[in-house]
Amino acid sequence: MDEQTIFVLRRIFKKIPSRNIEDLLKNWNCLTADQLRALDYTRPKWTLVENIISFCEERRLNMKHITNLEMINRIENPDNDTWHSCQLVEPQDDALFVELTQFKEQLKAYLEGVIRHISIKIKKHEDEALWIRIAWGDNFSKPNHLKPTYVVHHLHTSYVFICNLMAKHKILLYQALVVSTKHGSIKDAHLSNRSLTAMRTLLLRHYQQVFPNNHSMILDEGNTYASHPCIEKEHAPHEERRDQLASEAFGDSPTPKLETAVYRLETRYRGNGKTTLSDKEELFRGVVKFSSTSLLHSLRHCVASGMVEGPVTPLLSAITQKGRNYFVITDKGPGVSS
């Protein structure tokens, strides 16, 4: 093992909790059974890592083995980085017939054709997701394995999830995805989050949801009332209605774990008519951000408990219905930037 490989290996273990190392090494399957038994997982982490490195040197492992270890850890712990979603559009007639081998070959061929030094590794997970690790270099420097880009894509779906992508590599990756999936272009899906599972649940339509009907009514009852059988009976229909409104907006099943929703304002001050309150045509700009450890669960609880009136404003229900958590609000209404 050369110095760069050992350095990358140390950096990988630095990010892995000690309690996860044993299972990770077993899944990696690059050390012998005797070596795994010889490791003492009760020792300090730095000592354990040095022992692992010495065993890797005995096995003459290279960067290919080390990057495989990193991919296994990333697949098992995907929520350590912020993911951004993109949507493939304008599918060609044969887009549904793209096979895994064809996808791999075309993706690698395109990127290796425009960048001399690049490392691309593709692994198919048990849930049919394709995990792609790209270590970027250029025509003069070797791939940087310390800051790889990760891409997750389910073949024959229109969404792609990306993390750690630098701006200078964005157009290259986008074009490679368009070519290898046989689409016309790719665009921002305006959904970002640390939980990859939550994003896939929303965008791949695995989230069971009851959509609003045309008879939603605004609730005007109080938030609290005394506990009495007669009062409880009287308020039971209101509780059912609140639960219905909460389900219509955010579903009945456990909500996807989103942490934020951002609304960017680009509006003008206006009076009762259509005239602006200022002679200037400059826009009033601002940003409203909702944050919670589980934002959708918090919003659903607010509606179901009567803390807020229903029906839920489209600005909030659009998070689940459109699969977005970034919106731009203009004088024409809510939307997203182009």
Side-chain angles (χ1 to χ4, degrees):
M1 292 174 63
D2 57 30
E3 292 184 3
Q4 183 189 18
T5 304
I6 294 175
F7 184 70
V8 172
L9 184 58
R10 283 200 177 98
R11 287 287 296 271
I12 292 173
F13 278 111
K14 184 178 180 180
K15 300 177 182 179
I16 301 173
S18 299
R19 63 181 180 276
N20 296 341
I21 292 179
E22 182 176 5
D23 290 337
L24 180 62
L25 292 177
K26 292 178 181 178
N27 293 335
W28 188 30
N29 199 30
C30 282
L31 300 183
T32 66
D34 290 338
Q35 287 175 331
L36 290 175
R37 283 193 294 268
L39 292 172
D40 185 357
Y41 298 99
T42 63
R43 301 288 298 277
K45 183 177 178 180
W46 68 269
T47 304
L48 175 61
V49 171
E50 291 305 315
N51 290 337
I52 294 172
I53 292 174
S54 66
F55 287 155
C56 290
E57 290 181 307
E58 290 179 11
R59 298 279 293 168
R60 297 184 179 180
L61 302 183
N62 55 33
M63 186 65 76
K64 181 179 179 180
H65 299 99
I66 304 309
T67 55
N68 187 47
L69 172 68
E70 185 192 66
M71 286 195 75
I72 294 173
N73 179 60
R74 185 63 66 96
I75 292 172
E76 293 179 352
N77 303 278
D79 301 343
N80 292 331
D81 292 290
T82 298
W83 294 85
H84 301 272
S85 60
C86 300
Q87 184 177 10
L88 295 160
V89 294
E90 303 170 13
Q92 299 177 14
D93 294 338
D94 54 348
L96 290 176
F97 301 99
V98 174
E99 297 179 351
L100 176 58
T101 302
Q102 181 184 7
F103 172 83
K104 285 182 176 181
E105 291 176 351
Q106 293 193 354
L107 183 76
K108 290 183 176 181
Y110 181 87
L111 290 176
E112 291 172 351
V114 295
I115 299 180
R116 182 177 179 182
H117 298 294
I118 189 170
S119 173
I120 306 169
K121 190 175 184 63
I122 302 177
K123 182 185 291 289
K124 187 177 182 181
H125 191 42
E126 295 174 354
D127 62 359
E128 300 300 316
L130 299 181
W131 282 75
I132 307 166
R133 181 190 188 274
I134 305 174
W136 303 89
D138 53 36
N139 292 334
F140 306 99
S141 58
K142 293 182 179 181
N144 183 1
H145 287 282
L146 296 177
K147 296 181 179 179
T149 295
Y150 273 90
V151 181
V152 177
H153 175 56
H154 292 256
L155 275 181
H156 310 138
T157 67
S158 59
Y159 291 101
V160 182
F161 307 94
I162 305 171
C163 73
N164 297 331
L165 178 63
M166 297 179 64
K168 65 180 180 179
H169 299 137
K170 185 175 181 179
I171 189 171
L172 300 177
L173 176 60
Y174 279 15
Q175 188 60 32
L177 289 169
V178 166
V179 170
S180 58
T181 60
K182 295 187 179 297
H183 282 72
S185 60
I186 188 171
K187 65 179 183 179
D188 189 350
H190 300 282
L191 178 65
S192 60
N193 195 51
R194 291 184 67 87
S195 174
L196 177 63
T197 301
M199 296 173 67
R200 290 194 288 183
T201 298
L202 282 172
L203 293 180
L204 300 181
R205 303 303 179 191
H206 296 162
Y207 182 50
Q208 299 299 320
Q209 184 177 354
V210 180
F211 292 99
N213 54 45
N214 296 325
H215 306 289
S216 296
M217 298 182 298
I218 297 178
L219 302 176
D220 57 2
E221 71 273 11
N223 294 339
T224 59
Y225 51 87
S227 178
H228 188 278
C230 294
I231 297 179
E232 290 177 359
K233 182 178 180 180
E234 180 181 349
H235 283 269
H238 300 296
E239 291 183 359
E240 293 176 0
R241 185 59 180 158
R242 288 199 301 263
D243 290 336
Q244 177 188 352
L245 293 176
S247 296
E248 287 175 354
F250 305 111
D252 291 318
S253 57
T255 54
K257 191 177 180 181
L258 292 183
E259 297 179 348
T260 61
V262 177
Y263 297 85
R264 179 181 166 191
L265 309 178
E266 294 182 355
T267 58
R268 291 179 173 87
Y269 290 108
R270 297 188 181 276
N272 295 329
K274 295 183 179 180
T275 58
T276 60
L277 298 181
S278 173
D279 295 333
K280 298 180 179 180
E281 289 298 322
E282 295 180 2
L283 293 172
F284 168 74
R285 292 182 172 87
V287 175
V288 177
K289 182 177 181 180
F290 294 88
S291 298
S292 172
T293 54
S294 184
L295 179 63
L296 296 177
H297 177 75
S298 299
L299 293 174
R300 185 172 65 180
H301 176 72
C302 287
V303 178
S305 64
M307 294 174 63
V308 298
E309 292 183 347
V312 178
T313 171
L315 291 175
L316 295 178
S317 60
I319 298 174
T320 54
Q321 293 174 17
K322 295 184 177 181
R324 293 171 177 163
N325 64 349
Y326 178 82
F327 300 87
V328 177
I329 302 174
T330 66
D331 287 340
K332 296 180 181 179
V336 296
S337 58
S338 59

